[in-house]
Amino acid sequence: MIFEHYKIEKSLFLNKKINLGEKGKCRYCGKSRPAVKFSKIAHAIPELLGNKFLFSNDECDECNSFFDKNFENNLANFMGIARTTSQIVGKKGVPKTKSSSGDRAESINGDIVVIQGEDSDMLESLDENTLKIQSSPTQYVPINVYKCFVKMAISALPEYALKGFSEGIRWVRYNHKPASFDAKTLKMDLTMVPGKNPFPLMWLTIFKRTGDKKKYPYMTCMLAFSNYMFHFVIPFSKKDKHLDLARFQLPIIPMINGLRLPRQAPNIKPTTRSIDLSENRIISTQNFTYMKTQEPMKNINLNEVPDEIKDRIKELGLEFKTE
């Protein structure tokens, strides 16, 4: 468990606007005014994950454009249809998911609505309480997704720690591999917490090692939002030169073993899995998610369908199939 080997170095609960750093020198490229500008609004965590409150003053316009072009689309494709089904509010609201065959999943007035043709397999009922919703495969470069998460952690690192992570920062910004680069250090765990937005406030925490320096990385970062908690190594610290990769571990977040969130679904435990994001090429992956209902699913009459959904069907030029 993490509190046996780490202490909390910094923790941010995002319920109000927070500006990190000072304008004038960029913490990613190291350039200063007037060589670079600081005119763009720089989200420390991409807005596509629902961040409306955490911003970076010390991210220059050049770095902001680089991260947007190289990382954020990969992150969006990595999250896939989950951004729709978890109703994560991005720049233009909850994103709609549309398949190559024209089927779609949307959030309408707080409901997840799947609009599909007669022979579609977008929505599959696995049992009376479980649905599988899938769309067309997505493509992304896994290591760029990992870099996107590391960039978020770097944005929140205390000023004193930046020098020690200089190789990691160059790796994120310029793809300069550290001399000691080993993909085994790029460890990440993803915990999925069932429920309706069990993490209503985005939550970012930096952990600093207090335990065995041969076994545990110097700093890790936890990012929680909506139904998801990502915990990952902030790699390539100078303080990690004694790591023994044969013993190397990413410690467990304690909440997995007992903490219950107010909006967590009853009688369904969180699930945690390790994610390998070390691949440095484009991959194509299935795009699906599972949803549980509190009551057994049943057919409803057309007159029970909310007007907002009827209006959306009409707007799309479609009709309900009735028997």
Side-chain angles (χ1 to χ4, degrees):
M1 290 172 60
I2 200 164
F3 293 128
E4 297 175 2
H5 311 288
Y6 285 80
K7 68 175 183 178
I8 294 176
E9 187 69 4
K10 189 172 187 176
S11 198
L12 300 169
F13 291 89
L14 305 185
N15 60 354
K16 62 181 179 180
K17 186 175 181 180
I18 300 173
N19 290 298
L20 301 171
E22 300 293 334
K23 292 185 178 182
K25 182 178 180 180
C26 179
R27 73 167 47 201
Y28 303 99
C29 67
K31 297 177 183 177
S32 302
R33 286 172 168 165
V36 291
K37 297 180 180 179
F38 295 84
S39 60
K40 294 182 179 180
I41 297 174
H43 289 76
I45 298 169
E47 193 173 8
L48 69 90
L49 296 183
N51 174 34
K52 306 293 183 182
F53 293 115
L54 192 62
F55 301 91
S56 295
N57 285 332
D58 52 2
E59 180 179 323
C60 75
D61 292 355
E62 288 183 11
C63 288
N64 180 270
S65 296
F66 174 83
F67 297 139
D68 179 58
K69 179 181 178 181
N70 291 280
F71 296 162
E72 294 195 12
N73 189 57
N74 283 283
L75 177 63
N77 287 344
F78 166 73
M79 292 296 297
I81 197 172
R83 294 172 59 218
T84 301
T85 56
S86 292
Q87 302 191 67
I88 297 172
V89 181
K91 184 179 295 186
K92 299 180 180 179
V94 177
K96 301 175 177 63
T97 299
K98 185 177 180 180
S99 73
S100 58
S101 59
D103 301 322
R104 60 179 68 220
E106 302 182 7
S107 171
I108 300 177
N109 200 28
D111 294 318
I112 301 299
V113 179
V114 176
I115 303 170
Q116 61 179 13
E118 185 175 0
D119 298 321
S120 170
D121 59 358
M122 186 176 199
L123 182 66
E124 181 182 358
S125 177
L126 302 181
D127 58 47
E128 64 178 11
N129 291 97
T130 308
L131 292 169
K132 180 181 180 181
I133 305 175
Q134 62 182 344
S135 188
S136 301
T138 59
Q139 292 186 330
Y140 59 87
V141 179
I143 205 164
N144 284 348
V145 176
Y146 197 97
K147 285 181 178 180
C148 193
F149 278 99
V150 174
K151 181 267 174 184
M152 301 178 215
I154 291 169
S155 73
L157 280 177
E159 189 73 25
Y160 80 84
L162 293 177
K163 187 176 181 180
F165 281 98
S166 58
E167 285 193 326
I169 293 172
R170 287 196 297 271
W171 175 70
V172 167
R173 178 59 180 89
Y174 296 109
N175 199 30
H176 288 174
K177 280 189 177 181
S180 58
F181 179 87
D182 193 313
K184 294 176 184 177
T185 63
L186 306 181
K187 287 185 176 291
M188 176 180 286
D189 288 341
L190 167 58
T191 299
M192 198 284 178
V193 183
K196 192 168 184 178
N197 197 19
F199 294 109
L201 298 180
M202 187 168 274
W203 174 21
L204 184 146
T205 297
I206 303 288
F207 297 100
K208 181 179 177 181
R209 180 181 61 210
T210 58
D212 189 344
K213 63 183 179 182
K214 292 186 177 181
K215 188 174 183 180
Y216 301 108
Y218 177 56
M219 283 188 177
T220 71
C221 180
M222 184 275 294
L223 177 67
F225 58 93
S226 186
N227 297 94
Y228 309 96
M229 182 174 71
F230 292 87
H231 181 217
F232 56 96
V233 175
I234 309 174
F236 313 128
S237 167
K238 292 179 181 178
K239 299 280 189 179
D240 283 335
K241 62 182 178 180
H242 297 296
L243 273 179
D244 180 354
L245 293 182
R247 299 175 59 204
F248 178 63
Q249 287 186 17
L250 179 64
I252 298 171
I253 296 284
M255 71 149 292
I256 299 170
N257 294 324
L259 178 63
R260 182 168 186 81
L261 300 170
R263 300 185 187 184
Q264 184 175 329
N267 304 319
I268 308 176
K269 293 182 179 181
T271 57
T272 300
R273 60 187 176 96
S274 295
I275 304 175
D276 182 357
L277 292 174
S278 61
E279 183 62 62
N280 194 21
R281 62 179 178 84
I282 296 174
I283 66 168
S284 181
T285 185
Q286 290 184 320
N287 184 18
F288 66 89
T289 190
Y290 297 100
M291 297 190 73
K292 289 274 189 180
T293 61
Q294 289 184 318
E295 298 178 358
M297 291 173 284
K298 62 179 182 179
N299 293 324
I300 62 174
N301 297 320
L302 185 57
N303 58 13
E304 297 178 89
V305 177
D307 289 339
E308 295 89 347
I309 297 176
K310 291 179 180 178
D311 291 342
R312 178 58 175 156
I313 296 298
K314 185 177 180 180
E315 179 185 348
L316 292 169
L318 303 173
E319 295 181 354
F320 286 97
K321 179 187 176 184
T322 57
E323 297 187 12

